[in-house]
Amino acid sequence: MVVLILLLLGLCFGSFVNALVWRLKKKRDFVRERSECTHCHHVLAWYDLVPVVSWALLKGRCRYCHKKIDDSPLTELAVAAVFAVSYLFWPLGFTAVGWVLFGLWLVALVLLAALFLYDLKWSLLPNVLMFPLIGIGVVWVVLYYSFLAPVAPLVVVTNILLGLASVAGLYGLLYAVSKGEWVGFGDVKLGIFMGLVLGWQHGLLAVMLANVIAFLIIIPGLMTGKMTKKTRIPFGPFLILATVLALLFGEQIVAAYVSVVFGPIV
Ligand SMILES: [Zn+2]
């Protein structure tokens, strides 16, 4: 039942993400204005906006100008899937605080999905999305250490600093050394959220995962000639995928890694 609700919520929020990204690009007020076709600017009716269903009925084309709809139903399906998977594999339990963190995570996922799409389309991680995300990270850390992992204040501070150093520090260093050539400052800010929410162990895991995912996507791209060495690939989407994986499956990934690498010895 919860999974079903989350799937439906995810579809709606996925749809919202599609609209949000376009309106941010065009610097519009994304709360008041009605959705419109990106080609002919015809205002869309509610029946054009039903997640996935409208897209399928219209065969991916605008009802009015018949050009291809830019917004992919993949966003809606992906957000719905990640919502459901997050519930099924939620690592922090469903105590009262667990639920609050889960709620925060869903909001974070919506922001992350929007950042993913924006970075993919225009190679930029906008601050309007990034700052609320970092805000969630701060609230998250406070709740986490107050209720789920009550340790000495000094340990908390050390953990938070290590978490920030593990991703944001690393990327900040790369940013400084390469003068913004290798990584963008958006990646550094994303690293702040990652460090806060993941902690340093899973933060480092996420950095590693992001590189593995990037490698798996870029190598075939280079081999088939779809990319060249000069293709600029935004790194944000890889970091975002890795963050989701590290939060939900961090323990399992580390355990699997240890058993593969150290299996013969242990
Ligand atoms: Zn149109």
Side-chain angles (χ1 to χ4, degrees):
M1 189 59 196
V2 180
V3 173
L4 195 69
I5 294 171
L6 285 172
L7 282 172
L8 290 174
L9 258 182
L11 286 177
C12 296
F13 276 112
S15 201
F16 171 73
V17 165
N18 270 335
L20 177 65
V21 163
W22 275 105
R23 289 179 190 196
L24 282 181
K25 176 66 180 165
K26 297 190 173 146
K27 299 258 190 290
R28 297 221 181 135
D29 181 349
F30 57 85
V31 182
R32 259 180 297 139
E33 223 176 313
R34 305 280 306 273
S35 292
E36 58 177 40
C37 170
T38 50
H39 303 291
C40 66
H41 302 289
H42 195 293
V43 172
L44 301 176
W46 66 269
Y47 48 80
D48 295 321
L49 296 166
V50 184
V52 184
V53 178
S54 297
W55 188 90
L57 287 176
L58 296 168
K59 299 190 181 69
R61 285 177 185 280
C62 169
R63 183 190 302 279
Y64 310 99
C65 68
H66 306 288
K67 289 211 177 101
K68 265 186 97 175
I69 298 172
D70 279 304
D71 296 347
S72 159
L74 275 180
T75 315
E76 290 155 3
L77 294 172
V79 174
V82 179
F83 269 30
V85 170
S86 294
Y87 175 74
L88 295 172
F89 294 92
W90 184 242
L92 299 175
F94 286 112
T95 56
V97 179
W99 272 109
V100 174
L101 288 176
F102 185 68
L104 283 176
W105 174 244
L106 294 186
V107 180
L109 281 177
V110 171
L111 292 166
L112 287 171
L115 286 165
F116 183 101
L117 209 58
Y118 204 101
D119 204 20
L120 204 64
K121 282 180 194 279
W122 299 294
S123 294
L124 189 83
L125 296 164
N127 283 338
V128 234
L129 298 170
M130 196 58 88
F131 291 151
L133 191 70
I134 293 174
I136 290 177
V138 172
V139 177
W140 178 290
V141 152
V142 171
L143 288 174
Y144 181 80
Y145 284 111
S146 306
F147 297 100
L148 294 183
V151 285
L154 192 65
V155 181
V156 173
V157 173
T158 314
N159 279 350
I160 292 174
L161 289 179
L162 281 174
L164 290 174
S166 67
V167 194
L170 188 69
Y171 277 76
L173 200 65
L174 286 177
Y175 178 81
V177 168
S178 71
K179 297 192 172 68
E181 274 295 306
W182 301 335
V183 294
F185 198 64
D187 299 323
V188 181
K189 282 180 276 184
L190 184 57
I192 297 176
F193 170 76
M194 293 169 67
L196 288 173
V197 167
L198 296 174
W200 70 268
Q201 298 98 328
H202 289 172
L204 285 179
L205 175 73
V207 170
M208 196 187 76
L209 284 174
N211 284 301
V212 171
I213 300 168
F215 186 78
L216 290 177
I217 290 180
I218 291 168
I219 294 301
L222 285 176
M223 282 182 359
T224 54
K226 277 186 187 153
M227 296 176 189
T228 66
K229 279 182 185 156
K230 283 194 182 139
T231 311
R232 262 194 84 91
I233 303 145
F235 206 67
F238 301 126
L239 284 173
I240 289 167
L241 275 180
T243 303
V244 174
L245 288 175
L247 184 95
L248 296 175
F249 305 107
E251 297 298 332
Q252 291 94 317
I253 296 170
V254 171
Y257 178 78
V258 169
S259 78
V260 168
V261 175
F262 303 103
I265 309 165
V266 186

